[in-house]
Amino acid sequence: MSWETRGVYGPYYTRSRRVDGRVVREYVGAGPLADIIAQADEAEREAHRLQRRREREQMEQDRELDDLFGAYSAGVDELLRGVLEAAGYHQHKRGEWRRARGQETARLD
Amino acid sequence: MGKKRPDLTSGESKKLPDTTTAEGRKEIMRRAQAGDTSVVPALRRMLREDDDELIDSGHLARMALARAAAREGDLLTREIYIRQMEKDAEELAGPNPSPLEKVLAERIAISRFRCYYYECLCVMGLRKDTLNLDAHKHKRLAAAQRDFLSSCRALAQVRKLELPFVQVNVADKQQVQNLVVTGALEGPGGPQGRV
């Protein structure tokens, strides 16, 4: 946020906000009261920055956990595929598993 | 000054647990995970003698999930979560499961717990989270639910299919058990399959 000086007047504390896609600057005040308001605004912005950083860190941690599950799940799928293919099945159009025609159940004694 | 932490890498921290009991085996695995080098010979022996632990492929995922769901340092909750997932997996696998069924049932148990956990995270963040974080959590929940459904589908498919089986005759007692072919075949030196 900004302090603005116009000629011999100022500095004034102003806030900017977006209205219908345009930036509108509004006058807040001058003097000690404006100082306090500016500090409060700065503290609020700092809190938002911290929150965003915490969120980013949390998302990063979540991603690590999800990657671990992804790898685990892919491993199990790979195992399933291997076992079923070894047993003479094939996956029909990435859907159900079917046995190849004419293949009988193997029985080993 | 802080407390001096026990040196787990020195190799002389504790007496070795009995590897013939389930508790002892778990203790060895726990200590190995904590970096205790003194249990490595026992761990290797244990894994060579019986590869039951190798089939426990979801161990890492289970641990990571329980660690994330429990509060930092809350070992009781963590262990309860782990036990809950193990129990669910046992129930889903049913009596005399094949090794493949065991793995698939375990994945369902882990996925189910993951869904519960993510749902809790979503609910806990209601009216507190930013839109961005809320969207992220819901996206994760949706992915976990998809994963859960696909795990259930995989187990159902395996149960539906008539997989070839192997009849294993255990010499002395002549017990007959059928195994799904997963490489657990009887070799020349006796039965090697897990019965």
Side-chain angles (χ1 to χ4, degrees):
Chain A
M1 290 291 156
S2 57
W3 290 90
E4 196 176 321
T5 307
R6 299 248 169 131
V8 291
Y9 302 104
Y12 303 110
Y13 178 59
T14 62
R15 280 182 188 140
S16 299
R17 60 193 173 93
R18 204 172 277 272
V19 180
D20 294 333
R22 288 169 55 218
V23 178
V24 175
R25 180 176 282 193
E26 60 182 18
Y27 171 81
V28 178
L33 186 63
D35 261 343
I36 293 168
I37 293 172
Q39 279 171 19
D41 282 352
E42 181 54 36
E44 200 176 321
R45 277 196 297 277
E46 184 59 31
H48 278 141
R49 268 197 293 273
L50 274 174
Q51 193 183 359
R52 276 200 298 275
R53 194 192 303 160
R54 266 203 302 272
E55 275 180 14
R56 268 201 305 274
E57 282 168 5
Q58 192 186 331
M59 284 182 192
E60 194 55 43
Q61 275 180 5
D62 291 349
R63 214 161 287 135
E64 279 172 21
L65 193 64
D66 290 344
D67 285 349
L68 178 79
F69 282 117
Y72 164 62
S73 211
V76 174
D77 281 338
E78 200 61 34
L79 176 74
L80 176 67
R81 173 175 292 276
V83 170
L84 291 178
E85 282 178 355
Y89 288 86
H90 68 278
Q91 198 171 19
H92 179 72
K93 292 186 177 176
R94 299 168 70 190
E96 76 177 304
W97 286 89
R98 295 179 179 175
R99 195 183 308 154
R101 269 170 214 262
Q103 191 163 345
E104 289 175 10
T105 306
R107 189 179 170 124
L108 306 169
D109 289 324
Chain B
M1 296 291 281
K3 273 187 196 170
K4 197 182 168 189
R5 296 180 65 190
D7 183 12
L8 291 172
T9 53
S10 67
E12 50 185 354
S13 47
K14 275 189 222 165
K15 209 180 105 192
L16 277 180
D18 182 11
T19 55
T20 56
T21 63
E23 257 60 53
R25 295 159 72 82
K26 275 191 179 168
E27 174 63 20
I28 284 184
M29 288 172 82
R30 216 170 286 140
R31 278 170 62 178
Q33 274 189 324
D36 187 350
T37 52
S38 67
V39 297
V40 171
L43 180 71
R44 284 185 185 151
R45 213 169 34 245
M46 196 174 96
L47 291 175
R48 278 196 198 106
E49 279 168 8
D50 187 342
D51 57 355
D52 236 13
E53 312 303 341
L54 296 179
I55 208 74
D56 192 3
S57 55
H59 179 71
L60 184 64
R62 216 168 36 222
M63 280 296 289
L65 186 57
R67 200 170 289 165
R71 225 178 318 138
E72 181 94 31
D74 186 353
L75 296 179
L76 175 67
T77 311
R78 196 187 77 184
E79 293 302 312
I80 288 172
Y81 288 159
I82 290 173
R83 183 64 201 125
Q84 182 65 52
M85 281 184 262
E86 283 172 353
K87 208 173 140 203
D88 285 351
E90 282 162 19
E91 266 176 38
L92 283 162
N96 301 322
S98 70
L100 182 61
E101 280 179 325
K102 238 171 153 180
V103 170
L104 294 175
E106 182 160 51
R107 181 166 68 157
I108 295 178
I110 292 172
S111 308
R112 185 160 68 175
F113 187 87
R114 194 174 155 215
C115 285
Y116 289 152
Y117 172 48
Y118 288 1
E119 266 172 20
C120 285
L121 287 181
C122 284
V123 171
M124 277 156 59
L126 276 180
R127 296 182 190 186
K128 273 192 282 177
D129 289 341
T130 58
L131 281 176
N132 197 16
L133 192 58
D134 194 50
H136 164 75
K137 284 182 176 176
H138 278 90
K139 207 170 145 191
R140 282 182 91 202
L141 177 60
Q145 283 167 341
R146 272 198 306 274
D147 202 34
F148 172 57
L149 289 178
S150 110
S151 312
C152 293
R153 202 178 305 125
L155 182 63
Q157 273 178 343
V158 165
R159 286 193 169 149
K160 190 177 141 198
L161 296 174
E162 289 172 23
L163 286 174
F165 59 89
V166 185
Q167 185 171 307
V168 177
N169 296 326
V170 181
D172 294 341
K173 297 177 186 170
Q174 286 294 306
Q175 289 173 337
V176 177
Q177 299 212 14
N178 295 327
L179 300 179
V180 171
V181 175
T182 54
L185 298 174
E186 191 169 348
Q192 292 172 354
R194 189 174 298 106
V195 182

